[in-house]
Amino acid sequence: MKVKNSKAVKKYRGGNITAAFGAELLVHGTTGIPNLLLKYYKKMDLSDSEMMLLINLIRFRTNEQNLYPTVEELGQWVNGGAEKAAYLLERLLEKEIVAITQYYDYGMDAVVDGLDFEPLYEKLSELWACDKVQEIEQTENLLDKSTRNSKVISEDVPSSTLDEGQVLNICTVFEREFARPLSPIEVDRIRQWVNETDSVIIMEALRRAVLMGKNNFRYIDAIIMEWRKNNLRTLQDIARYDEEFQQRRASRGTVDFKRQQKSTGSPQGMDERKKMFDSLLMS
């Protein structure tokens, strides 16, 4: 027998209450809240009450497909009822966290008002971008500081003390960028790098990994190994190597294009070859 309405009430049977609770958790689903929203809502001048209302607005949109819940509906989830919900919603609109816009409702075949979350994500993206710029500036400052320190260190300092000091400094930078403590194995790997490579090179490899969003030792180790294999000992060597690599790649692209023109004979031949390739993909 089919159930006509979309919501149904379960007929419970005797059994384990924990299992019944778990089944209810699955049925009611979850609401995904971006971690960046939890991280930055204080910087957006949101109170805890406003944040809680915002979370419920997201729940209404994602779980119930409700574009514009009434204050009575919201009041069920806010201390203070509909009156407090109306006040908090007005605050979110004033702070331009949400906006009211128009949507086309396919079911009703009509244009209706609804809450728009685009202003919220614009503010989040701005805060995230500011943090990223600050991280990059901090990394560059640490690189500059490391370079200056390496120039003023006296030659009569024992090599073992010098190496351990560099290891400690670099480990501190890595922990700050990775936002976690390093394992003993990772500290040993940094110690090996320090014994074989200048600290400025290690910091440059870290900077590039951070900019690429690949905060892992395997990626950084691959960068350092590539530079060591090509005997790149200074930042100037690395910059020159990067420039030569870009020139070789650009030259290779030109050669490949000319070879392709020669093999096809003409632009028309290239079109025919593309059509043949597309037909193979479609079959």
Side-chain angles (χ1 to χ4, degrees):
M1 178 179 177
K2 295 184 178 179
V3 180
K4 293 183 179 181
N5 57 358
S6 59
K7 294 185 179 180
V9 179
K10 177 180 177 181
K11 180 180 179 181
Y12 283 95
R13 61 180 178 82
N16 190 310
I17 186 63
T18 303
F21 173 70
E24 283 294 295
L25 282 178
L26 180 63
V27 169
H28 286 280
T30 60
T31 299
I33 304 300
N35 287 332
L36 288 180
L37 176 56
L38 299 175
K39 178 180 179 181
Y40 292 131
Y41 82 92
K42 288 292 186 182
K43 291 186 177 181
M44 291 190 292
D45 191 30
L46 291 179
S47 67
D48 292 342
S49 297
E50 292 166 348
M51 179 62 179
M52 183 56 65
L53 181 68
L54 182 59
I55 291 175
N56 275 287
L57 290 175
I58 295 174
R59 179 181 64 82
F60 271 103
R61 171 63 62 85
T62 57
N63 291 8
E64 302 185 19
Q65 303 301 311
N66 190 335
L67 294 174
Y68 202 162
T70 65
V71 292
E72 288 75 19
E73 290 174 320
L74 294 173
Q76 301 177 31
W77 312 98
V78 175
N79 290 331
E83 184 178 352
K84 184 61 176 293
Y87 168 76
L88 294 175
L89 180 58
E90 186 64 27
R91 293 281 294 169
L92 293 179
L93 291 168
E94 290 176 356
K95 294 180 180 181
E96 298 183 346
I97 301 299
V98 295
I100 300 175
T101 189
Q102 291 184 323
Y103 296 88
Y104 176 72
D105 190 312
Y106 289 92
M108 299 174 56
D109 190 23
V111 175
V112 298
D113 288 338
L115 292 176
D116 187 355
F117 294 90
E118 186 173 332
L120 168 65
Y121 294 113
E122 287 180 354
K123 292 181 182 295
L124 283 178
S125 66
E126 291 173 0
L127 290 170
W128 172 84
C130 290
D131 272 6
K132 276 299 177 183
V133 170
Q134 186 176 3
E135 287 179 9
I136 293 173
E137 291 177 349
Q138 289 177 347
T139 302
E140 291 176 347
N141 290 336
L142 288 170
L143 282 170
D144 292 340
K145 181 179 179 181
S146 177
T147 303
R148 291 194 300 269
N149 289 342
S150 64
K151 291 180 179 179
V152 300
I153 293 176
S154 174
E155 295 182 356
D156 59 358
V157 176
S159 59
S160 59
T161 304
L162 173 61
D163 289 346
E164 287 304 316
Q166 288 179 330
V167 169
L168 179 60
N169 180 44
I170 294 174
C171 286
T172 302
V173 177
F174 269 71
E175 289 181 339
R176 181 177 303 171
E177 292 299 330
F178 287 12
R180 63 171 177 82
L182 299 181
S183 69
I185 295 177
E186 291 171 335
V187 173
D188 287 341
R189 191 72 188 109
I190 290 178
R191 185 174 287 108
Q192 292 176 11
W193 290 340
V194 170
N195 288 334
E196 301 170 355
T197 308
D198 190 276
S199 61
V200 176
I201 301 299
I202 299 172
M203 299 296 286
E204 175 65 14
L206 171 62
R207 185 183 72 86
R208 297 194 177 199
V210 170
L211 292 177
M212 291 297 294
K214 298 183 177 181
N215 295 5
N216 62 77
F217 271 72
R218 182 175 301 177
Y219 185 80
I220 297 173
D221 191 53
I223 295 177
I224 295 176
M225 290 294 292
E226 176 69 17
W227 290 343
R228 189 184 305 158
K229 182 178 67 175
N230 289 278
N231 197 29
L232 308 178
R233 301 181 179 275
T234 66
L235 296 180
Q236 291 77 11
D237 292 341
I238 294 172
R240 185 168 54 253
Y241 176 79
D242 289 342
E243 183 178 356
E244 292 174 353
F245 175 79
Q246 295 295 336
Q247 292 175 353
R248 289 196 302 270
R249 186 167 65 175
S251 176
R252 188 182 304 116
T254 302
V255 172
D256 291 342
F257 176 74
K258 291 181 178 179
R259 184 181 298 120
Q260 184 181 20
Q261 280 189 320
K262 184 177 180 180
S263 63
T264 55
S266 65
Q268 182 179 1
M270 293 177 65
D271 291 340
E272 294 297 330
R273 187 175 181 182
K274 182 178 183 302
K275 291 179 180 179
M276 182 182 299
F277 182 71
D278 290 342
S279 64
L280 290 174
L281 290 177
M282 295 296 293
S283 60

